[in-house]
Amino acid sequence: MADMPMRNIVILTGAGISAESGLATFRASDGLWEDHRVEDVATPEAYARDPALVHRFYDARRARLHEVEPNAAHLALARLDAEWPGELLIVTQNVDDLHERAGAKRLLHMHGELNSGWCLACDGRFAWVGPMGEEAECKVCAAHGMVRPDIVWFGEMPYDMDRIDEALMNADLFVSIGTSGAVYPAAGFVQTAKYRGAQTLEINLEPSQGSIFFGERRYGPAGLEVPKWVDEMLAGADAE
Ligand code: BV8
């Protein structure tokens, strides 16, 4: 890495960081689930057309969370979060809870979370464990059948965009881990960071769709590459 002090770090993660934990990525399964394209299930239109199908999709993925554990990449990022002296923000596109379970604190889920419900009657959001289905009761207003997965679908505005933009504006280093760079606005973050003069690093199994925008690129499994990178960063921080 260049000699510039890396005080403020923004880390974007995608499905690839959870692959070694056993969670399917979007594109490895060529984006299919029960022969449906994810883009066709993860939309408000799909939910309006066939809520049972969409609930089945998310209930299955929420149940899967109990069968998997954070991997070395999640644990390394949690260690960096705990020990990094400067600003640090992990922006995950993932809706799993593996970053939290690894101990990450400075974290936000820009595409929502499987373990959260959103009531369309009262706009309340609340923790949700187990199947949701079409008759779920809101924990805030007790309305039935108005609770949807608290997930950002295609065509919906991602969460915390102001906070993300501010972090990108102040970043000295932007790191993208385990994402194909296929979905916006997340796929555009590297360009914002680069425009602001940040160093940029991509860690992925293979070049992403945005790999040309990164100043440095490391390819290999996140479980191997991320702990190596974190060790380097913390060794450098100690040396300062
Ligand atoms: C919005 C939650 C606007 C759902 C998700 C045309 C051009 C450009 C943009 C658009 C367009 N048409 C439509 C759009 C916008 C659209 C978009 O970008 N579409 C794409 C398909 C072209 N974006 C949106 O709709 C977004 N909203 O734009 O709103 C707006 C403006 C104003 C007001 C209102 C609205 C919302 C997008 C969010 C959708 N929700 N997730 C759910 O999880 O079910 S997206 C979902 O796919 C993920 O969250 C992630 O964001 C995205 C891509 O997934 P990845 O995480 O990258 O996973 P993927 O499988 O693709 O890649 C995994 C990578 O890991 C691979 O590269 C692989 O090599 C690597 N890997 C695998 N194993 C490992 C590994 N790496 C390391 N180690 C390993 N072991």
Side-chain angles (χ1 to χ4, degrees), residues 168-182:
L168 289 171
M169 290 299 173
N170 296 314
D172 305 305
L173 173 62
F174 174 76
V175 186
S176 175
I177 301 172
T179 180
S180 60

Side-chain angles (χ1 to χ4, degrees), residues 60-82:
R61 289 169 65 195
R62 192 175 309 106
R64 184 91 177 89
L65 293 181
H66 300 295
E67 301 161 0
V68 297
E69 297 292 329
N71 64 56
H74 296 107
L75 293 167
L77 289 190
R79 180 159 57 92
L80 183 65
D81 182 11

Side-chain angles (χ1 to χ4, degrees), residues 15 20 26-27 58 61 93 111 152 155-156 179-180 184 206:
E20 290 157 83
F26 288 87
R27 277 147 195 88
Y58 288 101
R61 289 169 65 195
Q93 300 172 89
H111 290 160
V152 176
E156 296 186 325
T179 180
S180 60
Y184 288 81
E206 72 221 339

